[in-house]
Amino acid sequence: KLNAVMLYTGIFSLANINFLFFITYIQTSVGATSRTAVSAGILAYIIYNFFYAASAVPAGRFNDKTNSKKGLLAGNILFTLLCAVFIASKIPGALMPAMIIFGISKSFLKVSQKAWVSVLSGGKTLGKNMGVFRMIETLCLLAGGIIQGLLWNINPALTFAWGGAVSAAALVLLAFL
């Protein structure tokens, strides 16, 4: 089962779009003066971080009361929804509240992934398994970031389409774990 969680982590990490893509998209959507774009970016980052921090403990409690799979399902569904909002929305004002979804999804994903690896690891292999988990996550985040950047250069909406499609694939895998 641990290998399946590592596979899920790799696939989802390919989809996991860096917050800067979301913020940059919001800034370019504003389309006003550079001062307005900078302000929009700062506000988006504050909203994201506030809800990421504020939902970390509730996400941990949810994980403790249910299980890591349900926490990952919640975070993954929210992330897929977030990508859909960024693809579909043509109204910059609708994108700012979506950063709430992003913060909450990130909390559920981070807490649940680490907890599941911890639960599935034996006491003597926890450190090694966390190292493997981080290595897979980091290498796949790097590969995903390169793909997302290339897609961004073609059309920013493709970055979110990639994130949503690969996130949905990870969700299907997770449903069968």
Side-chain angles (χ1 to χ4, degrees), residues 3 12 17 32-33 44 53 61 64 66 71 81 92 100 104 113 129 136 142 159 166 168 177:
N3 289 338
F12 183 79
I17 301 169
T33 66
R61 283 191 188 126
D64 290 342
T66 60
L81 173 67
I100 296 169
I104 294 170
Q113 283 177 314
N129 290 338
I136 290 169
L142 176 62
T159 300
V166 178
L177 286 181

Side-chain angles (χ1 to χ4, degrees), residues 51-124:
F51 282 92
Y52 181 24
S55 60
V57 172
R61 283 191 188 126
F62 178 84
N63 192 65
D64 290 342
K65 288 181 181 176
T66 60
N67 61 42
S68 299
K69 180 179 178 180
K70 289 181 181 177
L72 282 175
L73 283 168
N76 198 317
I77 289 168
L78 287 172
F79 184 82
T80 306
L81 173 67
L82 172 71
C83 289
V85 168
F86 270 76
I87 292 166
S89 182
K90 304 296 182 218
I91 305 165
L95 298 176
M96 212 55 91
M99 295 305 283
I100 296 169
I101 297 170
F102 191 29
I104 294 170
S105 74
K106 189 66 90 172
S107 285
F108 273 87
L109 289 162
K110 289 290 183 188
V111 166
S112 301
Q113 283 177 314
K114 290 176 188 174
W116 209 356
V117 171
S118 294
V119 166
L120 295 175
S121 297
K124 291 187 178 188

Side-chain angles (χ1 to χ4, degrees), residues 8 12 20 22 25 39 50 57 61-62 71 73 79 98 100 103 123 143-144 148 158 161-162:
Y8 166 81
F12 183 79
L20 289 172
F22 292 104
Y25 191 75
S39 297
F50 177 81
V57 172
R61 283 191 188 126
F62 178 84
L73 283 168
F79 184 82
I100 296 169
Q148 294 157 19
L158 292 175
W162 165 266

Side-chain angles (χ1 to χ4, degrees), residues 39-55:
S39 297
I42 291 169
L43 180 59
Y45 188 65
I46 290 169
I47 291 169
Y48 159 72
N49 272 297
F50 177 81
F51 282 92
Y52 181 24
S55 60

Side-chain angles (χ1 to χ4, degrees), residues 11-39:
I11 293 170
F12 183 79
S13 294
L14 287 170
N16 196 359
I17 301 169
N18 186 289
F19 69 91
L20 289 172
F21 283 107
F22 292 104
I23 290 171
T24 301
Y25 191 75
I26 288 172
Q27 288 177 311
T28 57
S29 296
V30 171
T33 66
S34 61
R35 182 178 228 170
T36 303
V38 168
S39 297

